[in-house]
């Protein structure tokens, strides 16, 4: 089998149209009021991130990726979940201005308190990784394939967990973010934990998910090769993305710290020069004469 037949997904199209309409309403109607209240307008970068998130969620949820992921190749299913749980949530978090976040999740509301509790580093990390492990349980995979509502609910859950996971690093509420060094440690831990189920899939000697053990093999990829590729995607691709982000954060932090130290040394050196100049300006002829007058003359008997 070389390709999958085209299948319409009107629920995906409806969701995407609704997303565009909501974004347009926020930009045209809500943004002027937010700017008048003192918030910055939507930046060009936020618009780009929204576009990337939109394209990503369309690609991951529509034909052909959705159809291949659900019925033919578990490796594509793993790539789909990597997009939905990590990359797409990051794009939408980066696209969200603070005024929109505060409009959707108002200060003092119960939703805000729950979201804050869930986005704390330890809690967010536990939710994200526990859900990842749960989704790799063979019975859950089969149930997701057999039930459309369960499938949609699980995708919504991994997307929400991804939003919570990114809040301590790139969230619109800067007070909730970790320090740069804390972000590096947090993301390092997030990159280590998925290696366990990933390694399990790579080294498994039998078929783990019977749902993907079908007669019609897409592109001739056998089920064990597909399973090993899924483990490699989870173990290497996800980890690579996180390590690139860690390296970026650490490099920016190190450069900023070096620049701050250099500026501090230059300011200290400049102050020392000013102090010397001030001391030199105080050294007048009258001051030297006063010192000589106050000093006794050497005694002849003291030799």
């Amino acid at each position: 089998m070389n390709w999958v037949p085209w299948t319409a997904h009107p629920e995906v199209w409806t969701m995407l149209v609704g997303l565009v309409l909501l974004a347009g309403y926020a930009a045209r109607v809500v943004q002027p009021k937010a700017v008048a209240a003192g918030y910055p307008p939507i930046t060009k970068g936020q618009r780009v991130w929204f576009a990337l998130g939109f394209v990503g969620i369309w690609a991951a949820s529509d034909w052909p990726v959705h159809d291949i992921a659900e019925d033919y190749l578990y490796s594509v299913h793993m790539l789909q979940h990597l997009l939905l749980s990590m990359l797409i949530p990051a794009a939408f978090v980066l696209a969200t201005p603070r005024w929109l976040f505060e409009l959707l999740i108002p200060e003092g509301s119960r939703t805000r308190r729950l979201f804050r509790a869930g986005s704390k580093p330890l809690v967010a990390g536990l939710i994200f990784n526990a859900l990842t492990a749960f989704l790799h349980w063979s019975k859950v995979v089969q149930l997701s394939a057999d039930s459309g509502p369960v499938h949609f609910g699980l995708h919504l859950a991994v997307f929400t967990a991804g939003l919570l996971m990114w809040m301590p690093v790139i969230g619109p509420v800067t007070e909730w973010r970790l320090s740069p060094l804390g972000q590096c440690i947090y993301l390092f831990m997030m990159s280590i934990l998925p290696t366990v189920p990933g390694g399990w899939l790579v080294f498994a000697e039998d078929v783990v998910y019977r749902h993907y053990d079908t007669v019609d093999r897409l592109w001739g990829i056998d089920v064990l090769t597909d399973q090993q590729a899924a483990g490699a995607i989870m173990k290497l691709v996800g980890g690579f993305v996180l390590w690139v982000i860690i390296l970026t954060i650490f490099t920016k932090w190190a450069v900023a710290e070096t620049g701050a130290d250099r500026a501090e040394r230059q300011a200290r050196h400049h102050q020392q020069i000013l102090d010397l100049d001030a001391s030199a300006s105080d050294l007048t002829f009258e001051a030297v004469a006063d010192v000589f007058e106050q000093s006794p003359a050497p005694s002849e008997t003291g030799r």
Side-chain angles (χ1 to χ4, degrees):
M1 185 175 182
N2 293 323
W3 198 236
V4 295
W6 181 81
T7 304
H9 295 287
E11 71 284 0
V12 175
W13 306 337
T14 303
M15 177 185 65
L16 292 174
V17 170
L19 183 62
V20 170
L21 292 176
L22 288 174
Y25 178 82
R28 293 178 178 274
V29 179
V30 182
Q31 181 180 208
K33 300 178 182 178
V35 172
Y39 289 97
I42 298 172
T43 65
K44 182 179 179 180
Q46 288 171 331
R47 295 178 186 274
V48 171
W49 282 116
F50 176 82
L52 290 174
F54 179 88
V55 172
I57 204 167
W58 168 74
S61 304
D62 202 2
W63 179 90
V65 173
H66 173 85
D67 303 86
I68 296 173
E70 297 311 308
D71 294 320
Y72 296 97
L73 294 176
Y74 191 65
S75 55
V76 178
H77 178 91
M78 185 66 72
L79 181 61
Q80 180 192 47
H81 271 239
L82 180 66
L83 288 169
L84 291 172
S85 66
M86 186 177 294
L87 300 182
I88 296 172
F92 280 114
V93 169
L94 289 169
T96 304
R98 180 159 181 166
W99 54 263
L100 181 58
F101 177 83
E102 293 183 349
L103 176 66
L104 297 174
I105 309 179
E107 184 73 39
S109 65
R110 183 180 180 183
T111 304
R112 177 76 163 229
R113 292 192 296 271
L114 290 174
F115 199 89
R116 176 65 184 120
S119 63
K120 290 185 177 180
L122 181 59
V123 179
L126 288 175
I127 291 174
F128 184 87
N129 287 285
L131 185 59
T132 299
F134 177 72
L135 291 175
H136 286 86
W137 186 19
S138 58
K139 292 184 178 180
V140 175
V141 172
Q142 187 63 51
L143 181 61
S144 175
D146 295 338
S147 173
V150 171
H151 174 79
F152 176 80
L154 291 176
H155 277 193
L156 180 61
V158 298
F159 178 78
T160 304
L163 294 177
L164 295 174
M165 188 270 284
W166 284 114
M167 292 300 289
V169 181
I170 55 176
V173 183
T174 55
E175 304 94 280
W176 293 5
R177 295 183 191 176
L178 293 167
S179 66
L181 190 57
Q183 292 175 14
C184 292
I185 296 172
Y186 171 72
L187 293 177
F188 171 76
M189 297 303 300
M190 297 298 294
S191 71
I192 294 298
L193 295 175
T195 61
V196 176
W200 172 58
L201 289 173
V202 169
F203 296 107
E205 297 180 354
D206 195 9
V207 178
V208 176
Y209 305 111
R210 295 296 172 184
H211 175 74
Y212 291 94
D213 191 7
T214 59
V215 176
D216 292 329
R217 302 306 307 169
L218 188 62
W219 303 314
I221 302 173
D222 66 86
V223 64
L224 285 180
T225 301
D226 174 45
Q227 187 171 282
Q228 292 168 351
I233 289 172
M234 185 178 189
K235 185 180 178 67
L236 299 178
V237 177
F240 175 77
V241 170
L242 291 177
W243 272 97
V244 169
I245 297 172
I246 290 170
L247 182 61
T248 302
I249 294 172
F250 183 81
T251 301
K252 288 184 177 179
W253 173 74
V255 170
E257 288 294 309
T258 302
D261 289 344
R262 185 184 300 112
E264 184 179 354
R265 288 196 301 268
Q266 290 176 347
R268 192 185 307 118
H269 179 67
H270 182 65
Q271 186 61 44
Q272 290 174 347
I273 294 175
L274 293 177
D275 292 342
L276 288 174
D277 289 343
S279 299
S281 63
D282 292 340
L283 189 63
T284 62
F285 177 80
E286 290 79 6
V288 173
D290 289 340
V291 171
F292 274 105
E293 290 178 0
Q294 295 172 8
S295 301
S299 173
E300 292 291 333
T301 59
R303 287 187 299 174

